[in-house]
Amino acid sequence: MNPVAQPQTQQKQLFPFLDLHAQFEGIREEVMLALQSVFENQQFILGPEVQRFERELAELVGCRFAIGCASGSDALALALMAIGVGVGDEVITTPFTFIATAGSIARVGARPVFVDINPDTYNLDPKEMEALITSRTKAILPVHLFGLVAPMDEITAVARSHDLAVIEDAAQAIGATHDHRSAGSIGNVGCFSFFPSKNLGGAGDGGMLSTNDSEVADRLRMLRAHGSRTKYHYEYLGLNSRLDTLQAAILRVKLRHLVEWTLARRRRADCYRLLFTQAGLTESIQLPVEPPHCWHVYNQFVIRTRHRDQIREHLSRAGIPTEIYYPLPLHLQPAFSYLEYKAGDFPHAESASREVLALPIFPELTEAQQQSIVGAITDFHRAKE
Ligand SMILES: *Cc1c(COP(=O)(O)O)cnc(C)c1O
């Protein structure tokens, strides 16, 4: 498969793809006060500030327990370890996601087994799953891609009938819901990331696990700290993967704004829909879908078009930044060549990787900026006619 062409012309950008400077301007005082108090206490690993954040996140997700860790990638690995997935096991997941999803499966010694996606939602297609289940299958790992919850009713039904665990990769979907159940509270364990570009982003790496199972929660708390409950006594082989107190302090400040920021993202998504409709472009450009009973949190606003690379180039020349999530599905990545998949195995994931384009979406994006983005795409289509 061809590597994705990068835009040839690098024009000065009119605005960034994600404007974290603008966000910081709104919360500067609160963040600085929170940081100061951590330095006054000089406790930098776990501690009461992390516990408070864990309680707040558990409440937001609607789970009994939340356990902080060092990153979303570690959350995935810890979740697999806590439910006992290891060497020789298989885990079913999507090939159209960030590397960490399937990478975490390989990291614990298990084998990622890919299933194709639904071309409208980009989430894994549960219809194809059952045929892939073997005696080695231990878990299903759906991703709530771009902020839209995967079809959890179908996934949990298949999991239940084959006695499999469900681990949710909710890295992009904090606060997203389906039938009033939040991402991360539906399966056995939910995994969150606080990478700066996520809807709730820290000042560095951070992650969180959510579960309603007290035994799993207990194991997760040990596994993130070398597998020990009592200092220098080890019940499991774990990781060093704790949430920094500084990150927790910053994330607690930002958490207070999350609902308002999510609503702002959704309003920008609505604005894009209106602008694309007014421009008469909804035939040539596929917009993100929000199925009934779903609450999309738009970590990304991803459009789909056959002219993806040309439009991207055109926008870049106009100073408008875009991104491609994801240019090469995981089953075709060199790092997974040992799994022996080939081009054509997952046609929906492969064509999505050639046609998707993420447009800027963040709470501070202005309507004028959105008009300039849709205007530039409209110009591209006019010029082609
Ligand atoms: C960001 C992300 C991760 C990994 O999170 P990190 O905190 O960067 O390790 C995992 N899965 C998905 C789908 C992500 O978007």
Side-chain angles (χ1 to χ4, degrees), residues 70-76 96-102 141 143-146 169-173 191-198 204-207 299 326:
S71 69
S73 304
D74 276 6
L76 291 161
F96 195 62
T97 176
F98 183 57
I99 181 71
T101 311
L141 207 177
V143 179
H144 306 311
L145 201 68
F146 305 142
D169 183 340
Q172 302 181 3
C191 302
F192 295 90
S193 163
F194 306 120
F195 185 79
S197 67
K198 309 290 163 142
D205 282 308
N299 179 241
Y326 294 90

